[in-house]
Amino acid sequence: MEGVSPWRRVLQLAVLLTVGIVTAGLVWVLGPGAAWVLEHFDGVDDLTGKDLAAALDAVRGRALAIATGLIALVAVYYTARNAATARQGHLTDRYTKAIEQLGSDKLDIRLGGIYALERIARDSARDHSTIMEVLASFIREHSRDDVAPDHEGPVTSPRQPLRTDLQAALTVIGRRVVRQDLPNRRIDLTGAKLTGALLFGADLTGVQSPGPRPAVDLYEVVGVPAEWMSTPEEAGGETAGEPAGE
């Protein structure tokens, strides 16, 4: 998750500096500065006695009113900042828990982590690309694991479907909010084995393909973009089996 941005640090320093200046000015105006303000801003320099005291009190009253307004603005700022900090802290906790779930040896817990990450990506645009990178890394690292398929019942295809958790991660990538992707940064699936994946309706804009066959087995992957379906000869690779679509 991202930390405090530089512009926010500058804003915080500016607010603190403003508060310091206003506080010093208020102390000065409430003291000897009231007479100076009365003379140079109000143009009054011929009062004496009770009239002078009343005029000075009026100057101090205006200063207090201005200070009260500024204090209210500062309070609103810090309230909003604290709310944003609390929200970011909550997102960080959710993210940490989801990452822990992703590393579980239980399928249902891994699935919970994947869908929790999807929800965070939708709730926080600033974390969207990081989460897509995490899911892509999960697919790359585990798509070639020597693990028995977790599907039950007969399989109509001669090849097993993609492992359930990998399919879930791929589905999340395929239905992400594409406009939240960082410009010029592709979701890297290089080296992933996606045999049996279902990509119906997926938006793979900006997704880096696993690479030319045979580096990645793309046989029977459904809904793959045209550039992923080039033959081994077109991709410059070696034949790893029957052509796609047979």
Side-chain angles (χ1 to χ4, degrees):
M1 309 292 278
E2 299 179 10
V4 179
S5 59
W7 71 264
R8 180 166 294 183
R9 293 184 186 277
V10 171
L11 181 59
Q12 292 172 355
L13 290 175
V15 169
L16 291 175
L17 181 61
T18 301
V19 170
I21 293 174
V22 169
T23 301
L26 178 61
V27 171
W28 179 71
V29 171
L30 292 177
W36 186 90
V37 171
L38 183 64
E39 179 180 352
H40 292 83
F41 281 87
D42 295 346
V44 178
D45 58 0
D46 57 353
L47 297 179
T48 59
K50 293 182 179 180
D51 292 337
L52 176 60
L56 292 175
D57 287 342
V59 170
R60 295 183 180 112
R62 293 202 307 269
L64 286 173
I66 293 173
T68 300
L70 291 175
I71 291 172
L73 289 176
V74 171
V76 169
Y77 165 77
Y78 276 102
T79 299
R81 193 191 72 165
N82 290 338
T85 300
R87 178 178 180 273
Q88 189 61 35
H90 180 56
L91 285 172
T92 300
D93 291 341
R94 289 167 57 193
Y95 177 82
T96 301
K97 182 178 179 180
I99 292 297
E100 291 175 353
Q101 291 177 315
L102 206 59
S104 173
D105 58 356
K106 296 182 179 180
L107 174 62
D108 56 343
I109 295 179
R110 293 198 301 275
L111 290 175
I114 290 168
Y115 294 126
L117 287 172
E118 179 182 27
R119 180 60 184 270
I120 296 170
R122 291 184 179 274
D123 290 345
S124 175
R126 64 186 293 183
D127 298 312
H128 168 90
S129 291
T130 298
I131 288 172
M132 293 305 122
E133 290 174 359
V134 168
L135 293 176
S137 176
F138 177 77
I139 294 171
R140 291 196 312 269
E141 293 300 320
H142 296 285
S143 62
R144 292 184 175 274
D145 287 349
D146 187 15
V147 178
D150 46 23
H151 296 271
E152 297 181 357
V155 178
T156 57
S157 167
R159 291 183 177 84
Q160 294 285 357
L162 189 65
R163 213 174 77 186
T164 301
D165 52 350
L166 300 179
Q167 177 64 63
L170 193 59
T171 298
V172 169
I173 290 175
R175 68 186 180 203
R176 74 197 186 284
V177 181
V178 176
R179 66 177 179 274
Q180 292 182 351
D181 289 349
L182 291 178
N184 303 320
R185 180 182 295 183
R186 299 174 69 84
I187 298 174
D188 186 10
L189 292 178
T190 303
K193 183 178 180 181
L194 302 180
T195 301
L198 299 177
L199 297 173
F200 289 120
D203 188 344
L204 299 179
T205 303
V207 174
Q208 179 68 46
S209 69
R213 296 197 304 269
V216 176
D217 186 356
L218 295 179
Y219 300 138
E220 299 184 9
V221 175
V222 180
V224 177
E227 63 267 23
W228 284 19
M229 298 302 293
S230 59
T231 64
E233 291 76 11
E234 292 171 338
E238 299 176 1
T239 303
E242 71 274 18
E246 287 190 2

